Amino acid sequence: MNATSIPLQHGLLHHIVQLVSKAMVIVSAPDLNILEINQSACHLIGAEREDLIGTPLFTIECALQDVFFWEELSGQPEFSEPRVAESEWLNRDGVAIPVEKKVSSFKNGNEVVWIIQIEDLTSRRRMIQEQVTLASQLQSSLEATAEGIMSTDLEGRVINLNRRFGSMWKMSNDLIVERNASDMLKHILTQLKRPKYYEEVLERLEREPEAESENTLQLNDGKHYICVSKPEYLRDRLVGRVFSVRDITAMKKVESDLVEALGMAEQAVNDKSHMLDALKMSESRLRRLINS
């Protein structure tokens, strides 16, 4: 197919293609010779349009999966629904640019052409990588804390959970994997000495999504936890709830030991006072006997 003989080189088509903001390439099917390319696409790879017209698309595509993608399309050059795939374009500096291509077919007389719209994925991938890094840092921070943390969304799904929270409440792997906040809270209630009390707290939080709570919970095994629950916001919009649990068993033991020590001290003082009273009484009796 001779690129210079293709009616697609008509000035009107060229003008329309250049007006498209997204990078666009039109190639012949199935040999993939470039028939038209707009400035956005030329700018992406740092090349001049005149240098690309009539050259194979493979001069700028460099991903191995492209070979299989075009082979599949060659089996049926005409198709009604656009085909989408990721690829890589090689710019004139030799740098591979991740792109997404959306391919549509068009029959021009007896010939079929493929219209390729290209989106540069560099920014999107960078953003995804930044989000992954941020999520990893957040998870590391959650794991480093001594508190058990669980965050839920408004639909009752567990969005985040650190290992500390799961171990504090002796949660099974199945329960953790399912990420069902309702099931997890029911499991928590079975471990409390006064489950009805905290069940009422949870019911109030469900009725009042923006309410906060701080409760001291005693477990059946003798442990004591402080559970703080606060609503979670994203740009002033309520998106869920965060539960933070801290083990205060050791502090409760210290308090109990201190109370016991104070009680013993008071008892000792009382015993000493009683002893002094008894001695004074004995001394008084002895004096009366001597005087008599």
Side-chain angles (χ1 to χ4, degrees):
M1 184 180 297
N2 189 335
T4 60
S5 67
I6 299 302
L8 289 174
Q9 296 302 316
H10 190 277
L12 178 59
L13 174 63
H14 168 71
H15 181 69
I16 293 173
V17 171
Q18 298 307 320
L19 290 176
V20 178
S21 59
K22 184 174 289 188
M24 178 177 287
V25 184
I26 301 177
V27 299
S28 55
D31 56 14
L32 295 173
N33 284 331
I34 298 176
L35 305 176
E36 184 59 88
I37 183 168
N38 67 0
Q39 279 303 117
S40 296
C42 292
H43 178 73
L44 183 61
I45 59 177
E48 296 295 330
R49 174 179 174 276
E50 292 73 17
D51 296 332
L52 296 172
I53 296 296
T55 63
L57 183 65
F58 289 118
T59 59
I60 56 178
E61 276 193 342
C62 58
L64 179 60
Q65 64 263 30
D66 290 319
V67 177
F68 304 105
F69 176 79
W70 294 119
E71 282 183 356
E72 182 182 349
L73 262 59
S74 297
Q76 188 177 357
E78 292 184 68
F79 41 86
S80 56
E81 295 294 328
R83 307 295 177 85
V84 180
E86 289 192 4
S87 177
E88 288 183 343
W89 275 19
L90 195 66
N91 68 14
R92 287 301 181 257
D93 295 327
V95 177
I97 305 168
V99 299
E100 179 183 83
K101 57 187 177 186
K102 183 178 181 181
V103 184
S104 304
S105 68
F106 175 74
K107 190 169 184 179
N108 183 56
N110 295 324
E111 298 165 338
V112 177
V113 297
W114 289 329
I115 303 168
I116 311 169
Q117 298 180 66
I118 295 294
E119 180 182 356
D120 186 352
L121 298 180
T122 304
S123 297
R124 186 196 301 180
R125 289 191 177 181
R126 184 186 300 116
M127 186 181 300
I128 292 174
Q129 183 57 49
E130 290 173 354
Q131 291 174 344
V132 170
T133 302
L134 182 61
S136 177
Q137 292 173 342
L138 175 61
Q139 189 62 39
S140 297
S141 298
L142 288 177
E143 296 299 345
T145 183
E147 298 180 353
I149 305 292
M150 179 179 75
S151 62
T152 65
D153 63 14
L154 297 178
E155 282 70 45
R157 292 185 295 264
V158 175
I159 302 302
N160 215 331
L161 179 81
N162 67 355
R163 284 192 291 267
R164 177 66 175 160
F165 190 92
S167 63
M168 289 177 75
W169 294 108
K170 301 181 179 64
M171 291 184 177
S172 66
N173 289 333
D174 290 342
L175 191 60
I176 292 174
V177 170
E178 288 172 3
R179 296 285 175 127
N180 186 301
S182 178
D183 290 344
M184 287 185 178
L185 293 173
K186 288 177 182 177
H187 172 78
I188 288 172
L189 291 175
T190 64
Q191 300 180 62
L192 299 181
K193 198 166 186 178
R194 295 172 55 205
K196 186 64 178 175
Y197 159 71
Y198 196 58
E199 186 176 11
E200 291 174 353
V201 172
L202 294 175
E203 289 174 353
R204 181 178 70 84
L205 294 177
E206 187 173 357
R207 291 193 307 270
E208 306 172 23
E210 298 190 33
E212 299 183 7
S213 70
E214 180 173 337
N215 309 97
T216 300
L217 307 176
Q218 185 174 3
L219 279 65
N220 294 324
D221 61 6
K223 291 182 179 178
H224 290 82
Y225 293 164
I226 284 184
C227 183
V228 176
S229 177
K230 294 184 177 182
E232 186 173 19
Y233 296 92
L234 178 63
R235 299 187 184 94
D236 298 327
R237 180 172 62 89
L238 181 66
V239 295
R241 177 166 293 279
V242 177
F243 293 87
S244 174
V245 183
R246 181 160 49 95
D247 189 340
I248 59 168
T249 305
M251 185 177 71
K252 282 289 185 180
K253 180 67 167 57
V254 171
E255 289 179 357
S256 177
D257 291 346
L258 182 59
V259 169
E260 184 178 352
L262 288 173
M264 293 175 64
E266 289 177 358
Q267 185 63 43
V269 170
N270 290 335
D271 291 346
K272 184 176 180 180
S273 177
H274 292 156
M275 184 181 295
L276 289 173
D277 289 343
L279 287 173
K280 289 179 179 179
M281 187 177 295
S282 299
E283 182 181 1
S284 176
R285 289 177 181 175
L286 181 58
R287 287 178 177 174
R288 286 199 299 270
L289 288 172
I290 293 173
N291 292 332
S292 61

